[in-house]
């Protein structure tokens, strides 16, 4: 069976756009973490936090407020690194999917990698939706299959037609020769007066 190739430009474009969004998100999260770390150590920030925490009636002492603030800072850093790791994994899976798209017959494998990349990019983020669409396109768009039997039948019909034409031309040549022979025989007969 012969298979025509499918142009996978749409899937590639969606995958590349998703990778770019992942890289931008990684950069923004890294910038936010670095900015927070720089601001956290300033005396103005400490004073602002103390005022806000002391205004909260849940905290009776500044030490409790400081413990809560330290936990929030640590969790912000951990969450930032977890998000960066997930987005990096999503980017790697999307690159693997793009590499598989270049190989013929590997579109369904690329679709699986696009789905995994979408899951790691966030269940319903813009990037994950792009990866999901690319995966659906990988699964749905299939190359058209041309049956070799049809090709053989067409070749046989063509050969049959050529043979029929050749037989007709030979038959016509024979008829022309017979007609020529008949006219020559009529001319060779001696002239008999009446």
């Amino acid at each position: 069976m012969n298979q025509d190739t499918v142009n996978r430009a749409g899937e590639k474009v969606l995958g590349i756009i998703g990778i770019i969004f992942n890289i931008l998100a990684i950069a923004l999260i890294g910038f936010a973490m670095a900015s927070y770390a720089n601001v956290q150590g300033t005396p103005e920030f400490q004073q602002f936090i103390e005022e806000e925490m002391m205004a909260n009636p849940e905290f009776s002492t500044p030490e409790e407020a400081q413990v809560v603030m330290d936990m929030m800072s640590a969790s912000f850093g951990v969450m930032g690194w977890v998000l960066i790791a997930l987005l990096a994994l999503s980017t790697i899976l999307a690159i693997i999917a793009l590499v598989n798209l270049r190989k013929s017959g590997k579109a369904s494998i690329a679709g699986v990698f696009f789905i995994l990349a979408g899951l790691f990019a966030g269940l319903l983020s813009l990037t994950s939706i792009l990866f999901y669409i690319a995966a659906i396109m990988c699964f749905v768009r299939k190359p058209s299959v041309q049956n070799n039997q049809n090709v053989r039948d067409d070749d046989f019909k063509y050969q049959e037609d050529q043979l029929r034409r050749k037989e007709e031309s030979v038959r016509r040549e024979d008829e022309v020769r017979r007609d020529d022979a008949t006219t020559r025989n009529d001319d060779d007969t001696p002239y008999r007066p009446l």
Side-chain angles (χ1 to χ4, degrees):
M1 295 190 143
N2 295 334
Q3 287 190 351
D4 297 332
T5 58
V6 175
N7 187 0
R8 299 283 180 188
E11 292 91 327
K12 290 176 186 175
V13 168
L14 289 172
I16 290 170
I17 291 172
I19 289 171
I20 291 170
F21 283 170
N22 273 350
I23 291 171
L24 288 175
I26 289 170
L28 286 174
I29 292 170
F31 178 74
M33 287 174 52
S35 297
Y36 182 75
N38 288 339
V39 169
Q40 185 181 7
T42 61
E44 294 87 14
F45 183 75
Q46 290 296 332
Q47 182 182 359
F48 172 75
I49 294 300
E50 286 176 9
E51 290 172 3
E52 290 296 320
M53 292 293 183
M54 293 312 279
N56 192 344
E58 294 178 9
F59 302 117
S60 58
T61 62
E63 289 79 25
E64 287 179 2
Q66 187 62 37
V67 168
V68 170
M69 188 60 202
D70 290 341
M71 285 188 345
M72 285 175 40
S73 296
S75 65
F76 180 73
V78 170
M79 285 301 293
W81 285 112
V82 167
L83 285 174
I84 287 175
L86 289 175
L87 290 173
L89 183 60
S90 172
T91 303
I92 291 169
L93 290 170
I95 290 171
I96 292 171
L98 287 175
V99 168
N100 279 321
L101 274 179
R102 296 190 70 170
K103 300 173 186 173
S104 65
K106 300 281 186 177
S108 58
I109 295 172
V112 171
F113 279 113
F114 275 134
I115 288 175
L116 291 174
L119 290 175
F120 285 115
L123 290 177
L124 289 175
S125 66
L126 177 63
T127 306
S128 66
I129 291 171
L130 291 174
F131 288 147
Y132 296 150
I133 293 170
I136 290 169
M137 290 173 69
C138 286
F139 291 130
V140 172
R141 296 175 63 206
K142 298 290 181 189
S144 63
V145 178
Q146 185 182 26
N147 195 348
N148 280 342
Q149 185 63 35
N150 292 341
V151 173
R152 285 188 212 133
D153 289 345
D154 290 343
D155 286 344
F156 182 71
K157 288 177 185 176
Y158 177 75
Q159 291 172 352
E160 226 175 34
D161 190 42
Q162 291 293 329
L163 183 62
R164 186 178 44 80
R165 288 181 184 171
K166 189 174 183 180
E167 288 174 354
E168 283 180 16
S169 75
V170 168
R171 201 174 327 127
R172 284 186 198 137
E173 286 177 9
D174 287 343
E175 288 176 4
V176 168
R177 284 188 197 136
R178 274 189 245 133
D179 287 343
D180 284 345
T182 323
T183 56
R184 259 189 270 137
N185 287 338
D186 290 342
D187 291 341
D188 291 341
T189 55
Y191 177 70
R192 290 190 229 166
L194 287 172

